[in-house]
Short mmCIF file of all heavy atoms in Angstrom, two decimals:
data_model
loop_
_atom_site.label_atom_id
_atom_site.label_comp_id
_atom_site.label_asym_id
_atom_site.label_seq_id
_atom_site.Cartn_x
_atom_site.Cartn_y
_atom_site.Cartn_z
N PHE A 82 -60.60 -48.05 -108.02
CA PHE A 82 -60.74 -48.22 -109.47
C PHE A 82 -59.65 -47.40 -110.15
O PHE A 82 -59.37 -46.26 -109.73
CB PHE A 82 -62.13 -47.74 -109.90
CG PHE A 82 -62.49 -48.06 -111.33
CD1 PHE A 82 -62.98 -49.31 -111.68
CD2 PHE A 82 -62.34 -47.10 -112.33
CE1 PHE A 82 -63.32 -49.60 -112.99
CE2 PHE A 82 -62.69 -47.39 -113.65
CZ PHE A 82 -63.18 -48.64 -113.98
N GLU A 123 -66.70 -47.78 -126.99
CA GLU A 123 -67.49 -48.72 -126.21
C GLU A 123 -66.59 -49.41 -125.16
O GLU A 123 -65.40 -49.58 -125.40
CB GLU A 123 -67.99 -49.80 -127.18
CG GLU A 123 -69.44 -50.14 -127.04
CD GLU A 123 -69.82 -51.14 -128.11
OE1 GLU A 123 -69.94 -50.74 -129.29
OE2 GLU A 123 -69.95 -52.32 -127.76
N CYS A 124 -67.20 -49.85 -124.07
CA CYS A 124 -66.43 -50.48 -122.99
C CYS A 124 -65.56 -51.62 -123.50
O CYS A 124 -65.99 -52.41 -124.33
CB CYS A 124 -67.38 -51.00 -121.90
SG CYS A 124 -68.22 -49.65 -121.04
N HIS A 125 -64.36 -51.69 -122.97
CA HIS A 125 -63.28 -52.62 -123.34
C HIS A 125 -63.16 -52.91 -124.84
O HIS A 125 -62.99 -54.02 -125.27
CB HIS A 125 -63.26 -53.90 -122.49
CG HIS A 125 -64.57 -54.63 -122.39
ND1 HIS A 125 -64.97 -55.57 -123.28
CD2 HIS A 125 -65.56 -54.54 -121.47
CE1 HIS A 125 -66.15 -56.04 -122.93
NE2 HIS A 125 -66.52 -55.42 -121.84
N ASP A 130 -61.89 -45.88 -123.54
CA ASP A 130 -63.26 -46.35 -123.61
C ASP A 130 -64.10 -45.73 -122.49
O ASP A 130 -63.57 -44.97 -121.67
CB ASP A 130 -63.31 -47.89 -123.57
CG ASP A 130 -62.84 -48.45 -122.23
OD1 ASP A 130 -62.53 -47.66 -121.32
OD2 ASP A 130 -62.79 -49.68 -122.11
N GLU A 131 -65.37 -46.06 -122.49
CA GLU A 131 -66.26 -45.48 -121.48
C GLU A 131 -65.80 -45.82 -120.07
O GLU A 131 -65.97 -45.03 -119.14
CB GLU A 131 -67.70 -45.96 -121.71
CG GLU A 131 -68.68 -45.29 -120.76
CD GLU A 131 -70.14 -45.65 -121.01
OE1 GLU A 131 -70.42 -46.54 -121.83
OE2 GLU A 131 -70.99 -45.03 -120.34
N CYS A 132 -65.22 -47.01 -119.91
CA CYS A 132 -64.76 -47.44 -118.58
C CYS A 132 -63.68 -46.51 -118.02
O CYS A 132 -63.46 -46.46 -116.81
CB CYS A 132 -64.22 -48.87 -118.61
SG CYS A 132 -65.30 -50.08 -119.41
N ALA A 133 -62.99 -45.77 -118.91
CA ALA A 133 -61.94 -44.84 -118.47
C ALA A 133 -62.52 -43.52 -117.95
O ALA A 133 -61.77 -42.65 -117.50
CB ALA A 133 -60.96 -44.57 -119.61
N ARG A 152 -59.52 -51.82 -114.98
CA ARG A 152 -60.80 -51.79 -115.68
C ARG A 152 -61.20 -53.22 -116.04
O ARG A 152 -60.32 -54.06 -116.25
CB ARG A 152 -60.66 -50.97 -116.98
CG ARG A 152 -60.72 -49.48 -116.76
CD ARG A 152 -60.54 -48.73 -118.06
NE ARG A 152 -59.18 -48.78 -118.55
CZ ARG A 152 -58.78 -48.30 -119.74
NH1 ARG A 152 -59.68 -47.79 -120.56
NH2 ARG A 152 -57.52 -48.36 -120.11
N PRO A 153 -62.49 -53.49 -116.13
CA PRO A 153 -62.92 -54.85 -116.51
C PRO A 153 -62.38 -55.21 -117.90
O PRO A 153 -62.32 -54.37 -118.78
CB PRO A 153 -64.44 -54.75 -116.51
CG PRO A 153 -64.78 -53.30 -116.52
CD PRO A 153 -63.63 -52.58 -115.91
N HIS A 159 -67.20 -56.98 -116.75
CA HIS A 159 -67.90 -55.71 -116.85
C HIS A 159 -69.29 -55.80 -116.24
O HIS A 159 -69.71 -54.93 -115.46
CB HIS A 159 -67.98 -55.31 -118.33
CG HIS A 159 -68.31 -53.87 -118.52
ND1 HIS A 159 -69.54 -53.45 -118.94
CD2 HIS A 159 -67.57 -52.75 -118.32
CE1 HIS A 159 -69.54 -52.12 -119.01
NE2 HIS A 159 -68.35 -51.67 -118.64
N LEU A 162 -69.05 -55.81 -112.48
CA LEU A 162 -68.78 -54.49 -111.92
C LEU A 162 -70.06 -53.66 -111.86
O LEU A 162 -70.35 -52.98 -110.88
CB LEU A 162 -67.71 -53.78 -112.77
CG LEU A 162 -67.36 -52.36 -112.35
CD1 LEU A 162 -66.58 -52.37 -111.04
CD2 LEU A 162 -66.52 -51.68 -113.42
N HIS A 163 -70.85 -53.74 -112.91
CA HIS A 163 -72.07 -52.92 -112.97
C HIS A 163 -73.17 -53.44 -112.07
O HIS A 163 -74.09 -52.69 -111.72
CB HIS A 163 -72.55 -52.79 -114.42
CG HIS A 163 -71.79 -51.75 -115.19
ND1 HIS A 163 -72.19 -50.44 -115.30
CD2 HIS A 163 -70.58 -51.82 -115.82
CE1 HIS A 163 -71.30 -49.76 -116.00
NE2 HIS A 163 -70.32 -50.57 -116.32
MO1 MO B 229 -67.54 -49.78 -118.71
#
Side-chain angles (χ1 to χ4, degrees):
F82 189 82
E123 226 176 286
C124 293
H125 51 88
D130 66 3
E131 185 176 7
C132 310
R152 281 178 287 174
H159 197 253
L162 177 71
H163 280 267

